[in-house]
């Protein structure tokens, strides 16, 4: 059975609580539950991790080595400037898909740049919670 890790970075624990116009009205736990169910339908196992701390995200990436077939990662604002997270993704031999709920390209200039895209197998952005589901379907 394929094992997929779904990771979320800083502030994504606030989903559903504030800014529903940009990020939708669903909480992170309800999105995770949808992902879990969809994965189960497709015969895949899922684990979930959210942190507001760069080092914890890096530690989780390292710990994923040899344990997962794929990682779906919304690195939040770290996407745009964390070379440490980029290096961690490049170092592990697990394929990572970068996801974003919002269409980062229609937003502020600083969100147009991703330092992690070059070390990810793909990017899904702007489809709301369906961004995670599309990434899951790729791994299925
Ligand atoms: O669109 C995305 O998924 C982002 O990764 C979300 C990040 C943002 O920095 C990226 O540029 C794009 C921010 C997540 C903040 O989430 C909040 C949720 C509710 C209320 C406030 C923030």
């Amino acid at each position: 059975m394929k094992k997929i890790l779904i990771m979320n970075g800083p502030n994504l624990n606030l989903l559903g609580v504030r800014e529903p116009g940009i990020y939708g009205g669903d909480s992170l736990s309800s999105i995770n539950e949808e992902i879990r169910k969809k994965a189960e339908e497709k015969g895949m196992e899922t684990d979930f991790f959210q942190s507001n701390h760069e080092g914890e995200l890096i530690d989780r990436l390292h710990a994923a080595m040899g344990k997962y077939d794929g990682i779906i990662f919304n690195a939040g604002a770290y996407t745009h400037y964390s070379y440490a997270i980029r290096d961690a993704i490049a170092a592990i031999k697990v394929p990572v898909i970068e996801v974003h709920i919002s269409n980062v390209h229609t937003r502020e200039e600083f969100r147009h740049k991703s330092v992690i895209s070059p070390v990810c197998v793909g990017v899904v952005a702007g489809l709301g919670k369906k961004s995670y589901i599309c990434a899951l379907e790729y791994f299925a």
Side-chain angles (χ1 to χ4, degrees):
M1 185 181 266
K2 278 189 186 166
K3 269 194 90 169
I4 308 298
L5 173 65
I6 293 89
M7 292 182 60
N8 282 282
N11 298 309
L12 286 153
N13 55 308
L14 297 179
L15 283 177
V17 179
R18 298 178 53 196
E19 306 215 56
I22 302 177
Y23 300 117
D26 295 296
S27 65
L28 184 59
S29 57
S30 74
I31 293 173
N32 284 348
E33 187 49 23
E34 269 187 55
I35 297 168
R36 195 194 59 73
K37 280 194 193 133
K38 183 61 96 182
E40 199 176 75
E41 279 168 32
K42 293 182 178 291
M44 298 189 291
E45 203 182 308
T46 42
D47 284 329
F48 298 89
F49 182 75
Q50 189 275 330
S51 176
N52 295 320
H53 304 280
E54 189 177 23
E56 284 184 3
L57 292 163
I58 291 167
D59 287 344
R60 195 69 185 84
L61 287 167
H62 293 174
M65 248 188 301
K67 297 209 179 80
Y68 293 95
D69 300 288
I71 299 173
I72 297 170
F73 191 11
N74 185 344
Y78 286 138
T79 303
H80 313 301
Y81 67 91
S82 175
Y83 297 113
I85 286 179
R86 176 196 170 120
D87 285 348
I89 294 171
I92 62 171
K93 294 274 169 271
V94 184
V96 175
I97 301 183
E98 173 186 345
V99 303
H100 300 286
I101 295 169
S102 65
N103 182 349
V104 283
H105 300 289
T106 62
R107 302 182 63 196
E108 303 95 322
E109 187 85 31
F110 76 89
R111 297 186 204 274
H112 300 180
K113 170 83 182 163
S114 165
V115 300
I116 67 170
S117 295
V119 293
C120 289
V121 292
V123 182
V124 189
L127 307 182
K129 61 187 175 182
K130 292 265 187 316
S131 293
Y132 296 92
I133 303 292
C134 286
L136 189 71
E137 277 168 2
Y138 171 83
F139 284 129

